[in-house]
Amino acid sequence: MKVQSIHNKKARVRVFGLEGNHPCVWMKAGVINFKLCDNAYDCLTCAFDKAMSQRLETGDAHFQAWRSVYQEKTYNQKECRHMITGRVPVRHCGNAYDCASCEFDQELEHRSMSEVLGTAELHNVSGFLLADGYYYHPRHTWARVDHGGLVRFGVDDFTMRLLGYVTHVRLPKLGVHLERSAPAWTFRREEKIAPLVAPVNGVVVALNHKAVENPQIIKEDPYGNGWLVVVEPRHLKKDLAELYTDQAARTWLGAEVHRLEALVAPESEVPLAATGGEVIEDIYGNVSHLKWDQLVAEFLAP
């Protein structure tokens, strides 16, 4: 069964934890009538913000900068950019809206790189779990767009049930540029190795050392504390358009389970959920006729 991989190239970026439409800070300041944010509230790299700022530099007197509008207010009305966008409940700006040199802004970014903020709602698809609000690569890695524009990577529940367990994780180094659909990190089970792909393009800015030290975390919580890498994306909207999300992701995973069932049965007595049983934790270790290289090539490798 082939899942359709057709996505709307102009669809907005879905930021984890934020539902509905999200007004741009220029709209919230009342400078422009209508503009929705399509850059995960990463104003510092936003093409629209840069274009508007350039218009101001040329002497365009038709509007003010959004920062200037808020700067003219009293202190209690000077909402921090992260309060304006709903990232924090209360915070007022005392730094003249110079976000690039703001210690609070930098600390918030550091937190977002080192911690998983928020818990995903999980869906059961034929016995395998899928996290809502995530984007899925056809080779079973996921991307989660966090508030502020950074993107977190990991592997899905299907991967961990397929491989059973991992004894060693090798992640890329900080500063390395990862290419979408190219090898990004490796899992090892004893002497068996599985390469995993990057779901989107980006430069590595954070690694989950806890997952490296204790790979069991990845199996127990693949969509939360088992994350692996955080990147600063390069072509986010374009890359996300090639991934599965929402109902398309559930349809895709259902098709993957059917492909796996075809490999497992009829030689094996080990059931999958879709055949009436509960999905086992270690498919490779419990289905003797399935070979490691076969499973990796069929579902995970580039």
Side-chain angles (χ1 to χ4, degrees), residues 101-128:
S101 65
C102 175
E103 292 184 2
F104 177 77
D105 186 272
Q106 293 175 23
E107 175 61 26
L108 202 58
E109 292 305 303
H110 177 73
R111 277 193 63 200
S112 68
M113 287 191 289
S114 60
E115 302 176 14
V116 177
L117 305 178
T119 302
E121 180 181 350
L122 301 179
H123 297 275
N124 188 310
V125 179
S126 299
F128 296 87

Side-chain angles (χ1 to χ4, degrees), residues 125-139:
V125 179
S126 299
F128 296 87
L129 298 179
L130 207 63
D132 189 35
Y134 288 42
Y135 292 85
Y136 296 89
H137 189 280
R139 306 309 280 175

Side-chain angles (χ1 to χ4, degrees), residues 6 38 47 58 73 105 108 118 121 124 145 153 172 174 195 212 221 223 243 256 262 264 286 296:
I6 300 175
D38 61 359
T58 62
K73 299 182 178 183
D105 186 272
L108 202 58
E121 180 181 350
N124 188 310
V145 183
F153 292 172
L174 293 175
V212 174
D221 191 13
Y223 302 114
L243 304 181
E256 290 290 272
V264 170
N286 284 279
V296 170

Side-chain angles (χ1 to χ4, degrees), residues 160 163-170 185-196 215 218 292 296:
M160 298 313 298
L163 302 183
Y165 63 88
V166 174
T167 56
H168 181 77
V169 178
R170 185 174 183 178
W185 62 86
T186 58
F187 283 172
R188 175 177 289 182
R189 172 172 169 166
E190 309 303 343
E191 298 303 316
K192 302 292 185 180
I193 297 177
L196 284 303
I218 307 171
W292 177 274
V296 170

Side-chain angles (χ1 to χ4, degrees), residues 50-295:
K50 291 180 180 178
M52 293 289 283
S53 298
Q54 288 174 355
R55 286 186 61 182
L56 287 171
E57 292 175 0
T58 62
D60 191 329
H62 290 90
F63 55 84
Q64 290 179 283
W66 72 266
R67 293 173 177 85
S68 298
V69 173
Y70 279 95
Q71 187 67 6
E72 293 173 357
K73 299 182 178 183
T74 64
Y75 178 75
N76 289 336
Q77 295 176 318
K78 291 180 180 178
E79 298 178 348
C80 166
R81 174 170 69 90
H82 299 294
M83 182 178 175
I84 296 172
T85 62
R87 192 175 189 178
V88 297
V90 179
R91 174 76 184 183
H92 296 94
C93 180
N95 199 48
Y97 289 95
D98 183 8
C99 303
S101 65
C102 175
E103 292 184 2
F104 177 77
D105 186 272
Q106 293 175 23
E107 175 61 26
L108 202 58
E109 292 305 303
H110 177 73
R111 277 193 63 200
S112 68
M113 287 191 289
S114 60
E115 302 176 14
V116 177
L117 305 178
T119 302
E121 180 181 350
L122 301 179
H123 297 275
N124 188 310
V125 179
S126 299
F128 296 87
L129 298 179
L130 207 63
D132 189 35
Y134 288 42
Y135 292 85
Y136 296 89
H137 189 280
R139 306 309 280 175
H140 292 276
T141 56
W142 54 256
R144 187 183 106 169
V145 183
D146 288 341
H147 197 303
L150 295 179
V151 181
R152 197 175 303 269
F153 292 172
V155 298
D156 63 5
D157 178 57
F158 182 96
T159 296
M160 298 313 298
R161 290 180 182 271
L162 194 72
L163 302 183
Y165 63 88
V166 174
T167 56
H168 181 77
V169 178
R170 185 174 183 178
L171 298 180
K173 295 181 179 179
L174 293 175
V176 170
H177 181 262
L178 301 180
E179 295 284 346
R180 184 177 68 85
S181 298
W185 62 86
T186 58
F187 283 172
R188 175 177 289 182
R189 172 172 169 166
E190 309 303 343
E191 298 303 316
K192 302 292 185 180
I193 297 177
L196 284 303
V197 305
V200 303
N201 290 280
V203 175
V204 178
V205 296
L207 305 172
N208 189 354
H209 296 290
K210 291 182 180 179
V212 174
E213 296 167 0
N214 180 17
Q216 183 64 19
I217 296 174
I218 307 171
K219 184 171 182 62
E220 294 174 351
D221 191 13
Y223 302 114
N225 292 319
W227 66 273
L228 297 169
V229 175
V230 175
V231 304
E232 182 178 315
R234 285 293 178 262
H235 313 291
L236 184 58
K237 286 184 284 186
K238 178 182 178 182
D239 287 349
L240 292 181
E242 301 300 326
L243 304 181
Y244 299 110
T245 192
D246 300 328
Q247 183 56 50
R250 293 189 280 274
T251 301
W252 157 75
L253 183 57
E256 290 290 272
V257 174
H258 285 308
R259 292 208 299 128
L260 178 59
E261 287 175 335
L263 294 177
V264 170
E267 291 88 349
S268 175
E269 296 299 323
V270 179
L272 296 182
T275 60
E278 181 177 350
V279 175
I280 56 179
E281 296 291 331
D282 181 2
I283 294 172
Y284 165 71
N286 284 279
V287 184
S288 59
H289 69 275
L290 292 180
K291 305 305 179 184
W292 177 274
D293 291 343
Q294 175 191 15
L295 291 175

